[in-house]
């Protein structure tokens, strides 16, 4: 079996040490030091400015998205959401649930986000922009420079769900003036599902709500605890150890830039290899190195997905809704090699033949 999925991904051998490790008690200096060290490394990789903070929670990525909406925004804000698929729609639902007024830029299937979409919302009193920088459901990778410029011009906070781009593409909170970055363990970080992170800029820390509706996700409470490497409630201790092993592995491989190059190389290899095939890359918009959306014609994409798993043991991501029968998403993160990619393509060829 091989996972070419967006997450959980094919695991790297290095984290398997954490699977069998006894889980230690966590209200200890040893655990606090582990947390501080891991978060320090991640803060560096996120390129966080001085005075910003990184929090982590025991939940999937959506938990962190909801926590950010609940703690960072309130009914006096006016939010703008880039809604280009499943995850954009999720931000809309969360804002509704938490009574934050919002508008959304609703993109049609295959519609690329441009400056023109944003210009309609220029100088209209919006206070925050929420974007899933890589909209994993379609594979559209938005232009962070364009979004960052728009926010700066309009004095808006920039809230980025970077769940499926952080650790797969270059990213910098400082450079793009990002106020909130959300990411989770099971995507490009390659860890087990169940841990999510929220990085907060200095000015967002000053804006945080005093009374979020959630008791578990109370950022101020979490900030008080993280200062000493602790969380108010029981963390996913096992995943914190996986993160430790993963960080060591990435550092051994040459650090973040080599890591990103390794993913970019797999991505390039896949895209070159399928050139000229009867299935092709969806190039209606920019793509992340994390994922290639592949369009099929003459065969049912969902059928290809089913046969890849049942006949070959390869897992890729099918699409939902109107894309179900025409598109599959192939991920380039996780422990897959160039040979694995060759085998995947050979399997697809055999199915579509
Ligand atoms: C995976 C993902 C999420 C979170 O999904 P969970 O199932 O809650 O972990 C959120 N946003 C994007 C862009 C994602 O790819």
């Amino acid at each position: 079996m091989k996972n070419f999925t967006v997450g959980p991904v094919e695991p790297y051998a290095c984290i398997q040490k954490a699977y069998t490790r006894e889980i230690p008690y966590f209200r200890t200096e040893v655990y606090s030091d582990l947390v501080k060290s891991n978060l320090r490394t991640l803060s560096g990789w996120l390129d966080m400015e001085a005075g910003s903070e990184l929090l982590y929670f025991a939940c999937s990525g959506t938990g962190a998205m909801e926590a950010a909406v609940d703690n960072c925004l309130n009914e006096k804000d006016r939010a703008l959401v880039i809604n280009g698929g499943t995850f954009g729609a999720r931000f809309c639902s969360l804002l509704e649930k938490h009574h934050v007024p919002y508008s959304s830029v609703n993109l049609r299937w295959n519609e690329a986000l441009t400056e023109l979409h944003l210009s309609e919302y220029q100088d209209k009193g919006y206070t925050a922009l929420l974007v899933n920088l890589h909209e994993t459901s379609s594979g559209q990778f938005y232009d962070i420079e364009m979004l960052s410029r728009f926010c700066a011009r309009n004095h808006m906070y920039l809230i980025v769900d970077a769940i499926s781009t952080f650790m797969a593409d270059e990213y910098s909170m400082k450079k793009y003036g990002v106020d909130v970055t959300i990411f989770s363990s099971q995507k490009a970080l390659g860890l087990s599902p169940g841990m999510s992170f929220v990085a907060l800029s200095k000015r967002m820390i000053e804006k945080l709500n005093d009374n979020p509706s959630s008791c578990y996700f109370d950022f101020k409470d979490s900030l008080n605890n993280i200062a000493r490497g602790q969380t108010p409630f029981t963390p996913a201790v096992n995943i914190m150890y996986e993160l430790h092993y993963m960080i060591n592995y990435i550092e051994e491989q040459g650090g973040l830039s080599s890591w990103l190059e390794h993913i970019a190389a797999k991505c390039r290899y896949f895209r070159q290899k399928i050139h000229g095939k009867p299935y092709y890359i969806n190039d209606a918009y920019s793509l992340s190195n994390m994922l290639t959306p592949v369009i099929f014609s003459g065969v049912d994409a969902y059928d290809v997905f089913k046969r890849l798993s049942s006949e070959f043991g390869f897992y890729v991501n099918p699409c939902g809704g109107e894309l179900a029968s025409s598109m599959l998403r192939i991920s380039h993160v996780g422990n897959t090699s160039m040979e694995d990619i060759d085998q995947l393509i050979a399997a697809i060829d055999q199915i579509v033949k």
Side-chain angles (χ1 to χ4, degrees), residues 146-324:
M146 176 176 82
L147 296 166
S148 169
R149 271 198 312 272
F150 176 76
C151 286
R153 251 194 334 255
N154 288 277
H155 310 290
M156 291 162 75
Y157 292 94
L158 176 53
I159 300 177
V160 176
D161 162 1
I163 294 179
S164 69
T165 171
F166 176 57
M167 299 305 288
D169 304 291
E170 272 178 34
Y171 186 74
S172 164
M173 288 185 72
K174 212 189 287 175
K175 184 168 167 197
Y176 301 117
V178 178
D179 292 291
V180 180
T181 301
I182 299 157
F183 60 101
S184 62
S185 53
Q186 84 277 21
K187 298 271 166 84
L189 262 178
L191 313 177
S192 297
M195 184 180 285
S196 289
F197 301 80
V198 179
L200 301 168
S201 71
K202 189 164 176 275
R203 67 170 190 157
M204 184 50 85
I205 292 171
E206 285 154 14
K207 182 194 189 302
L208 291 178
N209 295 329
D210 283 323
N211 276 309
S213 67
S214 170
C215 175
Y216 182 83
F217 294 108
D218 181 334
F219 285 2
K220 290 197 171 182
D221 191 14
S222 296
L223 283 168
N224 286 335
N225 282 273
I226 207 68
R228 55 189 175 94
Q230 288 287 324
T231 44
F233 311 105
T234 310
V237 176
N238 47 334
I239 304 177
M240 192 49 75
Y241 277 93
E242 289 182 16
L243 178 58
H244 168 70
Y245 294 126
M246 197 68 207
I247 286 173
N248 285 350
Y249 177 73
I250 292 172
E251 298 288 15
E252 276 164 27
Q253 303 297 308
L256 180 64
S257 55
S258 312
W259 177 258
L260 295 179
E261 182 41 46
H262 156 71
I263 290 165
K266 287 200 287 179
C267 171
R268 273 196 306 271
Y269 185 74
F270 176 82
R271 289 178 189 171
Q272 276 160 12
K273 277 266 168 170
I274 69 165
H275 191 76
K277 302 272 187 193
Y279 46 91
Y280 52 91
I281 302 166
N282 185 358
D283 61 358
Y285 33 67
S286 300
L287 302 178
S288 154
N289 284 336
M290 195 240 194
L291 176 86
T292 303
V294 178
I295 309 262
F296 290 82
S297 59
V299 296
D300 185 88
Y302 196 76
D303 196 47
V304 175
F305 157 75
K306 279 192 295 189
R307 288 183 60 191
L308 278 174
S309 60
S310 65
E311 295 172 28
F312 299 91
F314 291 144
Y315 285 85
V316 300
N317 285 97
C319 292
E322 55 183 322
L323 298 177

Side-chain angles (χ1 to χ4, degrees), residues 25-41:
Y25 181 60
F26 64 96
R27 299 281 184 214
T28 63
E29 214 163 302
V30 174
Y31 184 73
S32 292
D33 288 344
L34 175 79
V35 171
K36 285 191 212 163
S37 158
N38 283 352
L39 296 189
R40 201 178 310 123
T41 304

Side-chain angles (χ1 to χ4, degrees), residues 60-62 65 87 90 132 134 136 161 163-164 184 186-187:
S60 86
T62 305
M65 289 167 74
F87 295 105
R90 191 166 301 173
N132 317 89
H134 176 215
T136 327
D161 162 1
I163 294 179
S164 69
S184 62
Q186 84 277 21
K187 298 271 166 84

